[in-house]
Amino acid sequence: QVELVESGGGSVQAGGSLRLACEASGWTISYGCMGWFRQAPGKEREGIATIVPYTAATYYTDSVKGRFTISQDKAKNTVYLQMNTLKPEDTAMYYCAAYSICRGARWVPGEVNYWGQGTQVTVSS
């Protein structure tokens, strides 16, 4: 049974930072790609970052490039998302995702094999 457990969400003021973690069990992160999606109220779920554990290549959507960093700890089977210079428009539920089809800087929610339960990030102005 695969389980992705996120942690690290919370509330922060604009300009602040948060670090999300996603610990995988039943799925070795090197199997494919790991990534983060987010969904704001009334909006579609969007992919924002991917890491290819085998090569450590990373990809970001334009809106988070230069502010967010995805990383991995293979020994802990965990992926992280460091979020700096947060903006109110970053407010959303953030989801960890595991997928065997890696498309670089293109995210297809329908191709995600497993989702985490989500962690809320709220950025106030």
Side-chain angles (χ1 to χ4, degrees), residues 50-74:
T50 287
I51 187 166
V52 183
Y54 184 74
T55 63
T58 57
Y59 303 89
Y60 301 93
T61 194
D62 287 346
S63 61
V64 308
K65 209 172 286 183
R67 300 187 298 122
F68 291 10
T69 302
I70 188 170
S71 62
Q72 61 181 344
D73 184 333
K74 291 182 181 179

Side-chain angles (χ1 to χ4, degrees), residues 103-118:
R103 297 189 184 277
R106 181 169 168 255
W107 293 268
V108 183
E111 292 181 346
V112 170
N113 296 90
Y114 299 100
W115 294 100
Q117 82 283 0

Side-chain angles (χ1 to χ4, degrees), residues 37-105:
F37 287 67
R38 68 185 180 186
Q39 188 167 19
K43 294 190 176 181
E44 293 186 351
R45 190 170 297 191
E46 62 167 344
I48 59 172
T50 287
I51 187 166
V52 183
Y54 184 74
T55 63
T58 57
Y59 303 89
Y60 301 93
T61 194
D62 287 346
S63 61
V64 308
K65 209 172 286 183
R67 300 187 298 122
F68 291 10
T69 302
I70 188 170
S71 62
Q72 61 181 344
D73 184 333
K74 291 182 181 179
K76 294 182 178 180
N77 213 35
T78 298
V79 174
Y80 303 95
L81 186 68
Q82 177 67 43
M83 305 185 294
N84 298 329
T85 319
L86 282 161
K87 304 175 181 179
E89 51 263 43
D90 293 318
T91 295
M93 187 71 78
Y94 283 68
Y95 297 91
C96 178
Y99 31 102
S100 53
I101 300 175
C102 302
R103 297 189 184 277

